[in-house]
Amino acid sequence: MEMHPVFLYLDPYLIWFYRLSGSAELNFLLGTLALAVLSLLVGEFTSFLAARIVRRHYEKVTGEAKKYQDLSIEALKAGDRPAYEGANKLANEAFGKSFYSQVALSATFVWPIFFVLAWMQHRFLEVGFPIPGTNWSLGFIGVFIPIYIAAYLIMKRLPRLHRFKGRLKYDALQTPNQKSTCRSSVP
């Protein structure tokens, strides 16, 4: 199978991570770790950009959800069952839109994983790591996923990156007026 032109262009740069030492096994682990960290960083960046782009829509959807929720609670307190059911239905629809907006934003974080795995398939489809004591072996996906999870957990715990990431996401979802008044309340 022939590589996609994008993979052909990036191949010399990506394969460089797999040629850092003299050991093939160590090279595979180091290269996979480098690609996992790279995919995490690209995912964070695209997630930030997407949050900036859809900020106004997200604010509108969450504002509608809050408004209809408040209306349904007021109708319930007033004993108006039909008004409660109508407002509650609108609130559920607005919460659904808000939920799926968040799902779409989370997809912007994970897309680099699939890109990296597609490239690795062209390069390492036949590579396997035998599991000691068994007749089984792990392929490139079985190695990439644990390394990616470990890199994610380590990067999540880095204090400077965590504060910077929180600041980016907070700023991305705030309007310019909110930034000036709320900046000191974010850790």
Side-chain angles (χ1 to χ4, degrees):
M1 181 176 1
E2 191 174 319
M3 269 194 190
H4 189 275
V6 172
F7 293 145
L8 283 174
Y9 176 76
L10 293 176
D11 188 62
Y13 305 106
L14 297 177
I15 201 66
W16 180 82
F17 294 116
Y18 289 87
R19 296 179 177 156
L20 296 175
S21 75
S23 167
E25 293 84 9
L26 182 61
N27 279 344
F28 187 78
L29 294 174
L30 289 174
T32 303
L33 175 64
L35 288 184
V37 169
L38 186 62
S39 65
L40 281 166
L41 294 174
V42 170
E44 284 289 340
F45 181 70
T46 56
S47 180
F48 165 73
L49 283 180
R52 294 286 295 184
I53 291 169
V54 299
R55 175 181 60 193
R56 288 184 183 88
H57 173 72
Y58 186 74
E59 289 171 351
K60 178 184 167 193
V61 169
T62 54
E64 285 177 5
K66 176 76 172 130
K67 178 179 92 172
Y68 291 129
Q69 179 186 19
D70 292 344
L71 284 173
S72 68
I73 291 171
E74 288 176 20
L76 187 61
K77 286 180 181 177
D80 189 357
R81 186 77 179 169
Y84 163 74
E85 289 174 359
N88 195 41
K89 181 179 178 185
L90 291 173
N92 284 336
E93 290 175 8
F95 277 118
K97 288 179 186 177
S98 175
F99 172 76
Y100 286 112
S101 295
Q102 291 175 4
V103 169
L105 279 177
S106 68
T108 62
F109 180 75
V110 297
W111 76 267
I113 295 170
F114 302 106
F115 183 84
V116 165
L117 289 175
W119 175 80
M120 288 180 77
Q121 178 180 356
H122 287 285
R123 278 299 196 152
F124 305 112
L125 184 61
E126 302 297 323
V127 174
F129 279 91
I131 299 173
T134 68
N135 293 331
W136 298 337
S137 65
L138 290 175
F140 68 96
I141 295 174
V143 174
F144 178 81
I145 290 175
I147 290 175
Y148 179 87
I149 292 170
Y152 173 78
L153 293 174
I154 290 169
M155 288 180 69
K156 186 177 177 182
R157 300 211 189 286
L158 293 175
R160 286 185 183 231
L161 182 65
H162 185 66
R163 282 195 303 267
F164 178 71
K165 185 172 82 172
R167 169 59 65 199
L168 286 177
K169 290 201 183 221
Y170 176 77
D171 286 346
L173 295 175
Q174 299 300 311
T175 62
N177 294 340
Q178 289 174 319
K179 284 183 186 177
S180 62
T181 59
C182 297
R183 188 164 291 282
S184 64
S185 64
V186 175

